[in-house]
Amino acid sequence: MSDLAIKTAASESRYEITKSGAFARQQNRFTTPFGSGAGELPVEAGRYRLLWARVCPWAHRQIIAFKILGLDEVISVGTANPVRTSQGWEFSLDPQGVDPVLGIRFLSEAYAKADPDYTGRATVPAVVDITTGKVVNNDYFKLTNYWETVWAPFHKQGAPDLYPQELRAEIDALNETLFHEVNNAVYKAGFAQSQTEYEKAYDVLFARLDQLEDRLSRQRYLFGNRITDSDIRLYVTLARFDIAYHTVFKANRNRLIDFPNLWNYAKDLYQTPGFGDTTDFDAIKRGYHLNRGRNPYQILALGPDLSIWNERHDRLRFSGTAKEEAHGV
Ligand SMILES: N[C@@H](CCC(=O)N[C@@H](CS)C(=O)NCC(=O)O)C(=O)O
C-alpha cells in the first residue's frame, strides 16, 4: 500500500483511501516474473491455474489473451462467483462450492497458503502453482505481457503477436496512460470519498476518452490495423462502461455508445474471437450492481439493451476486404 493510503475508520471503507479521499490501489503482493532465469517462475504446461471472476476487468484481460494465444490449453482456469462475498471471492459456481483443482472455497485460502501474514485484499487475477496451491503471481498489470512473451513456446499455431518487439515502447507508454486515465480512473471515480477527488478522476477519464475517440477516428485499432495488448486493456473497460461504470461509478458525462468511434471499435472487438465470447454481461452486471453496501435491497437494473453489441460496426472502412466485410456483418 502506498505511504499515503490509509483505511479510513470513519467511512469504514474496505479500499485504500488517501487523506484527501482518493482511491490509491494497493501494491501487488506476488510479482515474481515468469521466465527461465534464476528465481523466476518456470514456464511449464499444466503447472498453473489462473483464478478469475467474470466481472473483473483486470482478470478478463488474461482470459482474452489466453483465448487469442491458445494458452487456455496449457494453463487451467478457475472461476469465482462474480458477486464477491464478505469473505471475498468464492468458488460457489463449482460443485460443492469448491474449486475442483485446488480444493479451496475462497480465493483468500490460496493467498494465505503463499503468505500467512497477508493482510491485503485477495484479488483476481491470481496465478496459483498447482503443485503447492500457493498464489505465485497477482501482477494484473504485467501478466498479459508474460503470456505474450515468455509463454510464446506454448502459443497456438498462427497466434498473432500481441506485443511486437518494434512497438513495445509505444505499447508500454500507452498502457501506462490507459491504466491511470481509463482502466483505473473509473475506479477512482467510483471509490472516491470526496467530491474533489471524484471530479478529478472524472475529468481525467473523459479527457482521455475524447483523445482515444480522436485516435480511433483514423485507424481501426490503437496501433493501426493489428490488435495489440493495448486493445485488450482498453476493451475490458469499454465493455463495462455503460452497464456498470456509467451508473455505479458515476462516470456519466456520456455513455460509450455516444462516442461513435469508441463504440464501433468496442463492437468490432466484441465480434472478434476471444473478446465477446469471454464477455459475460450478466456476470458484470451482477458483480458491480449487487454490492451490498451500495445496493442494500439487491435490486438488479434491467437495462441497458445489450443486443446492440452484435450490430454491424463501421471499422472495416480502415482495412476492409470483401472477406472481412462478410465477417463483420
Ligand atoms: N490486484 C489489484 C487489481 C486487481 C483487482 O482490483 N481485482 C479486484 C476485482 S476487479 C478484486 O479482486 N478485488 C477483491 C477485493 O476487493 O476484495 C489490486 O490489488 O488492486
mmCIF file of all heavy atoms in Angstrom, residues 15 53-56 80-85 89 187 191 240 243-245 248-249 280-292 294-295 298 300:
data_model
loop_
_atom_site.group_PDB
_atom_site.id
_atom_site.type_symbol
_atom_site.label_atom_id
_atom_site.label_comp_id
_atom_site.label_asym_id
_atom_site.label_seq_id
_atom_site.Cartn_x
_atom_site.Cartn_y
_atom_site.Cartn_z
ATOM 1 N N TYR A 15 -11.472 -0.278 0.990
ATOM 2 C CA TYR A 15 -10.479 0.063 -0.018
ATOM 3 C C TYR A 15 -9.434 1.010 0.537
ATOM 4 O O TYR A 15 -9.611 1.587 1.609
ATOM 5 C CB TYR A 15 -11.164 0.681 -1.248
ATOM 6 C CG TYR A 15 -12.030 -0.327 -1.944
ATOM 7 C CD1 TYR A 15 -13.405 -0.300 -1.813
ATOM 8 C CD2 TYR A 15 -11.454 -1.339 -2.693
ATOM 9 C CE1 TYR A 15 -14.201 -1.264 -2.423
ATOM 10 C CE2 TYR A 15 -12.229 -2.309 -3.314
ATOM 11 C CZ TYR A 15 -13.596 -2.264 -3.173
ATOM 12 O OH TYR A 15 -14.368 -3.217 -3.775
ATOM 13 N N ALA A 53 -12.661 -13.890 -11.967
ATOM 14 C CA ALA A 53 -14.103 -13.726 -11.830
ATOM 15 C C ALA A 53 -14.517 -12.939 -13.066
ATOM 16 O O ALA A 53 -13.822 -11.995 -13.466
ATOM 17 C CB ALA A 53 -14.438 -12.951 -10.563
ATOM 18 N N ARG A 54 -15.640 -13.346 -13.663
ATOM 19 C CA ARG A 54 -16.004 -12.755 -14.963
ATOM 20 C C ARG A 54 -16.289 -11.260 -14.885
ATOM 21 O O ARG A 54 -16.236 -10.563 -15.891
ATOM 22 C CB ARG A 54 -17.231 -13.467 -15.528
ATOM 23 C CG ARG A 54 -16.963 -14.919 -15.863
ATOM 24 C CD ARG A 54 -18.221 -15.586 -16.424
ATOM 25 N NE ARG A 54 -18.098 -17.030 -16.419
ATOM 26 C CZ ARG A 54 -17.432 -17.716 -17.347
ATOM 27 N NH1 ARG A 54 -16.868 -17.088 -18.345
ATOM 28 N NH2 ARG A 54 -17.350 -19.029 -17.268
ATOM 29 N N VAL A 55 -16.599 -10.765 -13.715
ATOM 30 C CA VAL A 55 -16.882 -9.340 -13.565
ATOM 31 C C VAL A 55 -15.617 -8.493 -13.712
ATOM 32 O O VAL A 55 -15.668 -7.347 -14.153
ATOM 33 C CB VAL A 55 -17.539 -9.062 -12.186
ATOM 34 C CG1 VAL A 55 -16.652 -9.516 -11.044
ATOM 35 C CG2 VAL A 55 -17.867 -7.589 -12.019
ATOM 36 N N CYS A 56 -14.466 -9.029 -13.378
ATOM 37 C CA CYS A 56 -13.267 -8.213 -13.153
ATOM 38 C C CYS A 56 -12.500 -7.890 -14.438
ATOM 39 O O CYS A 56 -12.056 -8.795 -15.150
ATOM 40 C CB CYS A 56 -12.341 -8.954 -12.183
ATOM 41 S SG CYS A 56 -10.784 -8.082 -11.933
ATOM 42 N N ALA A 80 -14.394 -17.763 -10.071
ATOM 43 C CA ALA A 80 -15.131 -17.453 -8.842
ATOM 44 C C ALA A 80 -16.480 -16.838 -9.190
ATOM 45 O O ALA A 80 -16.671 -16.289 -10.281
ATOM 46 C CB ALA A 80 -14.323 -16.483 -7.981
ATOM 47 N N ASN A 81 -17.414 -16.885 -8.245
ATOM 48 C CA ASN A 81 -18.718 -16.242 -8.423
ATOM 49 C C ASN A 81 -18.509 -14.740 -8.620
ATOM 50 O O ASN A 81 -17.717 -14.137 -7.894
ATOM 51 C CB ASN A 81 -19.564 -16.497 -7.163
ATOM 52 C CG ASN A 81 -21.013 -16.112 -7.382
ATOM 53 O OD1 ASN A 81 -21.315 -14.995 -7.778
ATOM 54 N ND2 ASN A 81 -21.904 -17.043 -7.132
ATOM 55 N N PRO A 82 -19.184 -14.137 -9.610
ATOM 56 C CA PRO A 82 -18.939 -12.713 -9.874
ATOM 57 C C PRO A 82 -19.381 -11.780 -8.752
ATOM 58 O O PRO A 82 -18.958 -10.630 -8.707
ATOM 59 C CB PRO A 82 -19.754 -12.442 -11.149
ATOM 60 C CG PRO A 82 -20.802 -13.501 -11.178
ATOM 61 C CD PRO A 82 -20.171 -14.713 -10.538
ATOM 62 N N VAL A 83 -20.246 -12.254 -7.877
ATOM 63 C CA VAL A 83 -20.668 -11.404 -6.754
ATOM 64 C C VAL A 83 -19.797 -11.767 -5.553
ATOM 65 O O VAL A 83 -19.892 -12.877 -5.011
ATOM 66 C CB VAL A 83 -22.164 -11.599 -6.430
ATOM 67 C CG1 VAL A 83 -22.585 -10.660 -5.305
ATOM 68 C CG2 VAL A 83 -23.015 -11.363 -7.666
ATOM 69 N N ARG A 84 -18.939 -10.839 -5.173
ATOM 70 C CA ARG A 84 -17.991 -11.109 -4.090
ATOM 71 C C ARG A 84 -18.706 -11.175 -2.748
ATOM 72 O O ARG A 84 -19.584 -10.360 -2.470
ATOM 73 C CB ARG A 84 -16.942 -10.006 -4.063
ATOM 74 C CG ARG A 84 -15.558 -10.503 -3.756
ATOM 75 C CD ARG A 84 -14.539 -9.387 -3.705
ATOM 76 N NE ARG A 84 -15.091 -8.201 -3.100
ATOM 77 C CZ ARG A 84 -15.055 -7.007 -3.659
ATOM 78 N NH1 ARG A 84 -14.500 -6.838 -4.829
ATOM 79 N NH2 ARG A 84 -15.567 -5.970 -3.046
ATOM 80 N N THR A 85 -18.343 -12.116 -1.906
ATOM 81 C CA THR A 85 -18.980 -12.254 -0.596
ATOM 82 C C THR A 85 -18.203 -11.406 0.417
ATOM 83 O O THR A 85 -17.148 -10.851 0.109
ATOM 84 C CB THR A 85 -18.941 -13.718 -0.109
ATOM 85 O OG1 THR A 85 -17.577 -14.025 0.245
ATOM 86 C CG2 THR A 85 -19.409 -14.677 -1.185
ATOM 87 N N TRP A 89 -13.722 -13.495 -2.803
ATOM 88 C CA TRP A 89 -14.148 -14.320 -3.947
ATOM 89 C C TRP A 89 -14.356 -15.761 -3.509
ATOM 90 O O TRP A 89 -13.495 -16.345 -2.848
ATOM 91 C CB TRP A 89 -13.088 -14.278 -5.054
ATOM 92 C CG TRP A 89 -12.865 -12.904 -5.618
ATOM 93 C CD1 TRP A 89 -11.730 -12.167 -5.530
ATOM 94 C CD2 TRP A 89 -13.794 -12.118 -6.375
ATOM 95 N NE1 TRP A 89 -11.893 -10.968 -6.172
ATOM 96 C CE2 TRP A 89 -13.146 -10.907 -6.703
ATOM 97 C CE3 TRP A 89 -15.111 -12.323 -6.803
ATOM 98 C CZ2 TRP A 89 -13.776 -9.896 -7.440
ATOM 99 C CZ3 TRP A 89 -15.732 -11.308 -7.544
ATOM 100 C CH2 TRP A 89 -15.064 -10.124 -7.844
ATOM 101 N N TYR A 187 -12.381 3.427 -11.513
ATOM 102 C CA TYR A 187 -12.414 3.031 -10.090
ATOM 103 C C TYR A 187 -12.177 4.242 -9.196
ATOM 104 O O TYR A 187 -12.780 4.364 -8.125
ATOM 105 C CB TYR A 187 -11.360 1.953 -9.802
ATOM 106 C CG TYR A 187 -11.806 0.587 -10.268
ATOM 107 C CD1 TYR A 187 -11.501 0.128 -11.541
ATOM 108 C CD2 TYR A 187 -12.573 -0.224 -9.445
ATOM 109 C CE1 TYR A 187 -11.931 -1.108 -11.982
ATOM 110 C CE2 TYR A 187 -13.017 -1.464 -9.866
ATOM 111 C CZ TYR A 187 -12.685 -1.903 -11.143
ATOM 112 O OH TYR A 187 -13.142 -3.120 -11.563
ATOM 113 N N PHE A 191 -14.787 5.022 -6.402
ATOM 114 C CA PHE A 191 -14.439 4.806 -4.989
ATOM 115 C C PHE A 191 -14.072 6.097 -4.262
ATOM 116 O O PHE A 191 -13.795 6.066 -3.056
ATOM 117 C CB PHE A 191 -13.247 3.837 -4.867
ATOM 118 C CG PHE A 191 -13.543 2.408 -5.298
ATOM 119 C CD1 PHE A 191 -12.510 1.486 -5.438
ATOM 120 C CD2 PHE A 191 -14.838 1.977 -5.543
ATOM 121 C CE1 PHE A 191 -12.764 0.167 -5.822
ATOM 122 C CE2 PHE A 191 -15.096 0.660 -5.939
ATOM 123 C CZ PHE A 191 -14.062 -0.244 -6.075
ATOM 124 N N ARG A 240 -17.424 -2.677 -19.892
ATOM 125 C CA ARG A 240 -18.113 -2.481 -18.599
ATOM 126 C C ARG A 240 -18.679 -1.071 -18.451
ATOM 127 O O ARG A 240 -19.283 -0.753 -17.432
ATOM 128 C CB ARG A 240 -17.119 -2.770 -17.457
ATOM 129 C CG ARG A 240 -16.834 -4.256 -17.305
ATOM 130 C CD ARG A 240 -15.514 -4.556 -16.643
ATOM 131 N NE ARG A 240 -15.298 -6.002 -16.525
ATOM 132 C CZ ARG A 240 -14.949 -6.811 -17.546
ATOM 133 N NH1 ARG A 240 -14.752 -6.315 -18.760
ATOM 134 N NH2 ARG A 240 -14.796 -8.109 -17.364
ATOM 135 N N ILE A 243 -22.811 -0.519 -18.805
ATOM 136 C CA ILE A 243 -23.552 -1.454 -17.940
ATOM 137 C C ILE A 243 -23.207 -1.255 -16.460
ATOM 138 O O ILE A 243 -23.989 -1.567 -15.579
ATOM 139 C CB ILE A 243 -23.276 -2.902 -18.395
ATOM 140 C CG1 ILE A 243 -24.244 -3.895 -17.790
ATOM 141 C CG2 ILE A 243 -21.866 -3.317 -18.113
ATOM 142 C CD1 ILE A 243 -24.090 -5.299 -18.347
ATOM 143 N N ALA A 244 -22.039 -0.669 -16.186
ATOM 144 C CA ALA A 244 -21.628 -0.540 -14.777
ATOM 145 C C ALA A 244 -21.055 0.840 -14.454
ATOM 146 O O ALA A 244 -21.585 1.560 -13.609
ATOM 147 C CB ALA A 244 -20.594 -1.613 -14.431
ATOM 148 N N TYR A 245 -19.994 1.237 -15.116
ATOM 149 C CA TYR A 245 -19.291 2.459 -14.687
ATOM 150 C C TYR A 245 -20.141 3.718 -14.835
ATOM 151 O O TYR A 245 -20.072 4.630 -14.019
ATOM 152 C CB TYR A 245 -17.966 2.627 -15.454
ATOM 153 C CG TYR A 245 -17.041 1.440 -15.325
ATOM 154 C CD1 TYR A 245 -16.221 1.039 -16.387
ATOM 155 C CD2 TYR A 245 -16.969 0.704 -14.144
ATOM 156 C CE1 TYR A 245 -15.372 -0.050 -16.265
ATOM 157 C CE2 TYR A 245 -16.126 -0.391 -14.022
ATOM 158 C CZ TYR A 245 -15.329 -0.759 -15.087
ATOM 159 O OH TYR A 245 -14.495 -1.840 -14.966
ATOM 160 N N VAL A 248 -22.995 2.922 -11.761
ATOM 161 C CA VAL A 248 -22.494 2.571 -10.423
ATOM 162 C C VAL A 248 -21.322 3.475 -10.004
ATOM 163 O O VAL A 248 -21.218 3.854 -8.844
ATOM 164 C CB VAL A 248 -22.064 1.084 -10.389
ATOM 165 C CG1 VAL A 248 -21.597 0.685 -8.994
ATOM 166 C CG2 VAL A 248 -23.204 0.179 -10.829
ATOM 167 N N PHE A 249 -20.437 3.805 -10.956
ATOM 168 C CA PHE A 249 -19.258 4.620 -10.626
ATOM 169 C C PHE A 249 -19.439 6.103 -10.991
ATOM 170 O O PHE A 249 -18.484 6.872 -10.947
ATOM 171 C CB PHE A 249 -18.010 4.059 -11.335
ATOM 172 C CG PHE A 249 -17.446 2.797 -10.706
ATOM 173 C CD1 PHE A 249 -16.338 2.166 -11.267
ATOM 174 C CD2 PHE A 249 -18.007 2.245 -9.560
ATOM 175 C CE1 PHE A 249 -15.800 1.020 -10.691
ATOM 176 C CE2 PHE A 249 -17.469 1.088 -8.993
ATOM 177 C CZ PHE A 249 -16.368 0.474 -9.555
ATOM 178 N N ASP A 280 -19.057 -11.692 -20.250
ATOM 179 C CA ASP A 280 -20.315 -12.166 -19.662
ATOM 180 C C ASP A 280 -21.018 -10.956 -19.027
ATOM 181 O O ASP A 280 -20.744 -10.588 -17.882
ATOM 182 C CB ASP A 280 -19.993 -13.243 -18.616
ATOM 183 C CG ASP A 280 -21.250 -13.837 -17.992
ATOM 184 O OD1 ASP A 280 -22.319 -13.194 -18.062
ATOM 185 O OD2 ASP A 280 -21.145 -14.932 -17.420
ATOM 186 N N PHE A 281 -21.896 -10.327 -19.813
ATOM 187 C CA PHE A 281 -22.536 -9.099 -19.338
ATOM 188 C C PHE A 281 -23.383 -9.343 -18.087
ATOM 189 O O PHE A 281 -23.484 -8.476 -17.227
ATOM 190 C CB PHE A 281 -23.408 -8.482 -20.434
ATOM 191 C CG PHE A 281 -22.619 -7.810 -21.531
ATOM 192 C CD1 PHE A 281 -22.801 -8.162 -22.860
ATOM 193 C CD2 PHE A 281 -21.699 -6.812 -21.238
ATOM 194 C CE1 PHE A 281 -22.089 -7.533 -23.877
ATOM 195 C CE2 PHE A 281 -20.977 -6.175 -22.241
ATOM 196 C CZ PHE A 281 -21.169 -6.536 -23.563
ATOM 197 N N ASP A 282 -23.992 -10.510 -18.008
ATOM 198 C CA ASP A 282 -24.817 -10.789 -16.830
ATOM 199 C C ASP A 282 -23.936 -10.815 -15.570
ATOM 200 O O ASP A 282 -24.273 -10.228 -14.544
ATOM 201 C CB ASP A 282 -25.551 -12.122 -17.018
ATOM 202 C CG ASP A 282 -26.450 -12.404 -15.834
ATOM 203 O OD1 ASP A 282 -27.350 -11.586 -15.582
ATOM 204 O OD2 ASP A 282 -26.220 -13.415 -15.133
ATOM 205 N N ALA A 283 -22.784 -11.475 -15.667
ATOM 206 C CA ALA A 283 -21.858 -11.530 -14.520
ATOM 207 C C ALA A 283 -21.341 -10.130 -14.189
ATOM 208 O O ALA A 283 -21.201 -9.760 -13.016
ATOM 209 C CB ALA A 283 -20.689 -12.468 -14.836
ATOM 210 N N ILE A 284 -21.057 -9.345 -15.216
ATOM 211 C CA ILE A 284 -20.556 -7.983 -14.997
ATOM 212 C C ILE A 284 -21.619 -7.164 -14.266
ATOM 213 O O ILE A 284 -21.349 -6.476 -13.277
ATOM 214 C CB ILE A 284 -20.159 -7.327 -16.351
ATOM 215 C CG1 ILE A 284 -18.938 -8.040 -16.938
ATOM 216 C CG2 ILE A 284 -19.905 -5.830 -16.181
ATOM 217 C CD1 ILE A 284 -18.589 -7.654 -18.375
ATOM 218 N N LYS A 285 -22.843 -7.285 -14.750
ATOM 219 C CA LYS A 285 -23.925 -6.530 -14.114
ATOM 220 C C LYS A 285 -24.098 -6.934 -12.650
ATOM 221 O O LYS A 285 -24.139 -6.108 -11.746
ATOM 222 C CB LYS A 285 -25.228 -6.772 -14.882
ATOM 223 C CG LYS A 285 -26.329 -5.812 -14.484
ATOM 224 C CD LYS A 285 -27.659 -6.214 -15.056
ATOM 225 C CE LYS A 285 -27.851 -5.739 -16.479
ATOM 226 N NZ LYS A 285 -29.256 -5.912 -16.920
ATOM 227 N N ARG A 286 -24.159 -8.228 -12.409
ATOM 228 C CA ARG A 286 -24.331 -8.701 -11.033
ATOM 229 C C ARG A 286 -23.169 -8.265 -10.144
ATOM 230 O O ARG A 286 -23.359 -7.813 -9.024
ATOM 231 C CB ARG A 286 -24.405 -10.236 -11.003
ATOM 232 C CG ARG A 286 -25.681 -10.755 -11.513
ATOM 233 C CD ARG A 286 -25.707 -12.275 -11.644
ATOM 234 N NE ARG A 286 -26.976 -12.620 -12.237
ATOM 235 C CZ ARG A 286 -28.120 -12.665 -11.560
ATOM 236 N NH1 ARG A 286 -28.136 -12.463 -10.272
ATOM 237 N NH2 ARG A 286 -29.244 -12.935 -12.176
ATOM 238 N N GLY A 287 -21.962 -8.422 -10.660
ATOM 239 C CA GLY A 287 -20.784 -8.138 -9.854
ATOM 240 C C GLY A 287 -20.706 -6.688 -9.414
ATOM 241 O O GLY A 287 -20.355 -6.390 -8.268
ATOM 242 N N TYR A 288 -21.038 -5.760 -10.314
ATOM 243 C CA TYR A 288 -20.954 -4.338 -9.946
ATOM 244 C C TYR A 288 -22.204 -3.851 -9.217
ATOM 245 O O TYR A 288 -22.122 -3.031 -8.319
ATOM 246 C CB TYR A 288 -20.706 -3.469 -11.182
ATOM 247 C CG TYR A 288 -19.265 -3.518 -11.676
ATOM 248 C CD1 TYR A 288 -18.899 -4.314 -12.757
ATOM 249 C CD2 TYR A 288 -18.270 -2.772 -11.042
ATOM 250 C CE1 TYR A 288 -17.587 -4.357 -13.213
ATOM 251 C CE2 TYR A 288 -16.954 -2.809 -11.494
ATOM 252 C CZ TYR A 288 -16.617 -3.602 -12.575
ATOM 253 O OH TYR A 288 -15.315 -3.643 -13.005
ATOM 254 N N HIS A 289 -23.373 -4.350 -9.635
ATOM 255 C CA HIS A 289 -24.610 -3.794 -9.074
ATOM 256 C C HIS A 289 -25.025 -4.427 -7.747
ATOM 257 O O HIS A 289 -25.685 -3.787 -6.950
ATOM 258 C CB HIS A 289 -25.766 -3.933 -10.073
ATOM 259 C CG HIS A 289 -25.662 -2.986 -11.233
ATOM 260 N ND1 HIS A 289 -26.414 -1.838 -11.316
ATOM 261 C CD2 HIS A 289 -24.888 -2.997 -12.337
ATOM 262 C CE1 HIS A 289 -26.108 -1.192 -12.440
ATOM 263 N NE2 HIS A 289 -25.184 -1.884 -13.077
ATOM 264 N N LEU A 290 -24.684 -5.688 -7.549
ATOM 265 C CA LEU A 290 -25.187 -6.372 -6.348
ATOM 266 C C LEU A 290 -24.212 -6.256 -5.174
ATOM 267 O O LEU A 290 -24.083 -7.165 -4.371
ATOM 268 C CB LEU A 290 -25.513 -7.839 -6.658
ATOM 269 C CG LEU A 290 -26.640 -8.026 -7.680
ATOM 270 C CD1 LEU A 290 -26.950 -9.498 -7.896
ATOM 271 C CD2 LEU A 290 -27.912 -7.274 -7.263
ATOM 272 N N ASN A 291 -23.545 -5.125 -5.097
ATOM 273 C CA ASN A 291 -22.670 -4.854 -3.970
ATOM 274 C C ASN A 291 -23.566 -4.433 -2.806
ATOM 275 O O ASN A 291 -24.352 -3.490 -2.933
ATOM 276 C CB ASN A 291 -21.722 -3.717 -4.399
ATOM 277 C CG ASN A 291 -20.868 -3.218 -3.281
ATOM 278 O OD1 ASN A 291 -21.370 -2.710 -2.296
ATOM 279 N ND2 ASN A 291 -19.570 -3.358 -3.442
ATOM 280 N N ARG A 292 -23.470 -5.153 -1.687
ATOM 281 C CA ARG A 292 -24.427 -4.927 -0.586
ATOM 282 C C ARG A 292 -24.364 -3.512 -0.017
ATOM 283 O O ARG A 292 -25.383 -2.914 0.310
ATOM 284 C CB ARG A 292 -24.209 -5.947 0.530
ATOM 285 C CG ARG A 292 -24.687 -7.298 0.127
ATOM 286 C CD ARG A 292 -25.294 -8.086 1.282
ATOM 287 N NE ARG A 292 -25.967 -9.253 0.730
ATOM 288 C CZ ARG A 292 -27.271 -9.328 0.534
ATOM 289 N NH1 ARG A 292 -28.060 -8.340 0.874
ATOM 290 N NH2 ARG A 292 -27.812 -10.404 0.012
ATOM 291 N N ARG A 294 -23.633 -0.750 -1.520
ATOM 292 C CA ARG A 294 -24.243 0.218 -2.434
ATOM 293 C C ARG A 294 -25.699 -0.067 -2.710
ATOM 294 O O ARG A 294 -26.440 0.822 -3.113
ATOM 295 C CB ARG A 294 -23.532 0.145 -3.795
ATOM 296 C CG ARG A 294 -22.261 0.853 -3.856
ATOM 297 C CD ARG A 294 -21.968 1.179 -5.336
ATOM 298 N NE ARG A 294 -20.702 1.855 -5.396
ATOM 299 C CZ ARG A 294 -19.560 1.214 -5.428
ATOM 300 N NH1 ARG A 294 -19.523 -0.084 -5.464
ATOM 301 N NH2 ARG A 294 -18.428 1.885 -5.442
ATOM 302 N N ASN A 295 -26.098 -1.323 -2.580
ATOM 303 C CA ASN A 295 -27.409 -1.748 -3.062
ATOM 304 C C ASN A 295 -28.034 -2.693 -2.033
ATOM 305 O O ASN A 295 -28.126 -3.895 -2.248
ATOM 306 C CB ASN A 295 -27.194 -2.449 -4.423
ATOM 307 C CG ASN A 295 -28.475 -2.832 -5.131
ATOM 308 O OD1 ASN A 295 -29.566 -2.741 -4.564
ATOM 309 N ND2 ASN A 295 -28.352 -3.291 -6.359
ATOM 310 N N GLN A 298 -30.617 -5.179 -3.045
ATOM 311 C CA GLN A 298 -30.198 -6.160 -4.069
ATOM 312 C C GLN A 298 -31.106 -6.137 -5.309
ATOM 313 O O GLN A 298 -31.497 -7.182 -5.824
ATOM 314 C CB GLN A 298 -30.166 -7.569 -3.460
ATOM 315 C CG GLN A 298 -29.135 -7.691 -2.338
ATOM 316 C CD GLN A 298 -27.711 -7.705 -2.885
ATOM 317 O OE1 GLN A 298 -27.226 -8.703 -3.371
ATOM 318 N NE2 GLN A 298 -27.034 -6.552 -2.821
ATOM 319 N N LEU A 300 -31.571 -5.579 -9.146
ATOM 320 C CA LEU A 300 -30.712 -5.640 -10.328
ATOM 321 C C LEU A 300 -31.329 -4.806 -11.451
ATOM 322 O O LEU A 300 -32.485 -5.040 -11.836
ATOM 323 C CB LEU A 300 -30.591 -7.113 -10.760
ATOM 324 C CG LEU A 300 -29.484 -7.466 -11.731
ATOM 325 C CD1 LEU A 300 -28.108 -7.080 -11.191
ATOM 326 C CD2 LEU A 300 -29.532 -8.966 -12.040
#
